[in-house]
Amino acid sequence: MTTPAHSPDSSRGGESEAPQAGGAVDKRSRKVYVLWGIALAFLLAAGLFCWLVVVPVWKVNRAMSGGVTKSETIARLGGPQEAVGYFAVYVRMPDWVTDSLSKRNVVITMRSCGTPAVPLLVECLHHSDEDVQTHAWAVLMQMCSMYPEDRKAIAKEVARALDTEAAEMAAYTLSQAGPEGKAVLIKGLGAPSATTRRASAQGLKAMGGEAREAIAALESLSCDPDSSVRQAAAEALQKIKQAGESK
């Protein structure tokens, strides 16, 4: 009995089936690799989120718990410089992560950080939460009295707000910053912005007799093209001169 010979066609058909099976395996393998890549990227993103957001927020909450003092809170966070870094993340979080009351407490605690906290406090002056803004102003003014050696740094940072919607509060804060703040306000009288000139005059008015050096610069604003600047300068001059007469 003879074995039937394989035809060339059947041989070719068998060869074509093998590559098809191998191609299906390769496609499945690629899908597995893609899924593994997506899963790994997700895990890395989750880890980064935890490290940059969850951990700082958790550390601040933990450091402020237990009725500790502000100085103890800062020490728990590794000192003023490190604490400010954690506080920066905390106050920038949306309300569903860190509530308004907690942010306000963080701002108040920054008072004990000294100079390292000044740039962040100035940033808080433009915070979306008005309560945070108000407490940032209050802390900056308190720091002017508590840390005379930091007045120059405070005045430099607060001066950046003289041409913003917070100009009036910035000027009042500078009026509490001694000679350093006064120098910034006098310089502001010659600023291109009417907002800055007006706010600077208001700040000098708040200083009263301590701003006698500004009399000449204020008198030059009597011809200012902006009526609100002229009025602010006139009121400042009146207040400064009255303070001089009463002595």
Side-chain angles (χ1 to χ4, degrees):
M1 183 175 179
T2 59
T3 305
H6 293 287
S7 68
D9 291 340
S10 62
S11 175
R12 284 194 296 270
E15 290 174 357
S16 64
E17 289 177 3
Q20 288 177 358
V25 171
D26 289 343
K27 287 180 181 178
R28 286 197 297 270
S29 297
R30 283 196 293 270
K31 286 182 180 179
V32 171
Y33 292 145
V34 169
L35 290 173
W36 271 107
I38 294 173
L40 181 60
F42 177 79
L43 288 173
L44 288 173
L48 188 62
F49 176 80
C50 288
W51 181 255
L52 297 178
V53 177
V54 177
V55 171
V57 170
W58 173 77
K59 283 190 173 182
V60 171
N61 285 334
R62 184 167 178 246
M64 297 183 70
S65 64
V68 297
T69 65
K70 296 175 181 61
S71 298
E72 289 173 332
T73 295
I74 294 167
R76 285 182 174 184
L77 292 171
Q81 198 71 50
E82 291 78 6
V84 169
Y86 289 120
F87 292 156
V89 175
Y90 201 93
V91 298
R92 292 167 184 162
M93 288 293 103
D95 288 342
W96 60 269
V97 178
T98 55
D99 60 72
S100 178
L101 178 60
S102 298
K103 289 173 184 172
R104 184 193 70 186
N105 291 336
V106 163
V107 169
I108 294 172
T109 302
M110 276 193 257
R111 180 178 58 196
S112 300
C113 289
T115 304
V118 173
L120 181 56
L121 285 167
V122 172
E123 179 185 320
C124 288
L125 302 180
H126 309 285
H127 199 279
S128 58
D129 189 320
E130 292 185 2
D131 199 28
V132 172
Q133 292 180 23
T134 301
H135 282 81
W137 284 120
V139 168
L140 282 167
M141 285 186 277
Q142 290 169 355
M143 288 175 68
C144 288
S145 301
M146 293 172 61
Y147 309 112
E149 68 278 7
D150 292 337
R151 285 176 178 171
K152 186 174 182 179
I154 295 171
K156 180 180 178 181
E157 294 292 336
V158 174
R160 299 177 184 178
L162 279 175
D163 193 23
T164 69
E165 68 280 358
E168 187 174 341
M169 286 300 297
Y172 186 74
T173 301
L174 287 167
S175 73
Q176 308 298 306
E180 294 82 2
K182 178 169 61 178
V184 172
L185 291 171
I186 293 175
K187 183 179 179 181
L189 295 175
S193 167
T195 299
T196 302
R197 297 196 301 276
R198 180 177 63 253
S200 297
Q202 291 169 338
L204 292 165
K205 175 185 176 182
M207 296 189 76
E210 296 178 15
R212 288 186 296 274
E213 300 95 316
I215 289 178
L218 286 166
E219 288 176 340
S220 69
L221 293 180
S222 60
C223 300
D224 194 278
D226 189 291
S227 60
S228 65
V229 174
R230 295 196 299 271
Q231 181 179 350
E235 291 176 357
L237 281 168
Q238 183 180 8
K239 179 76 175 292
I240 294 169
K241 290 178 179 179
Q242 285 178 347
E245 292 171 359
S246 63
K247 287 186 178 181

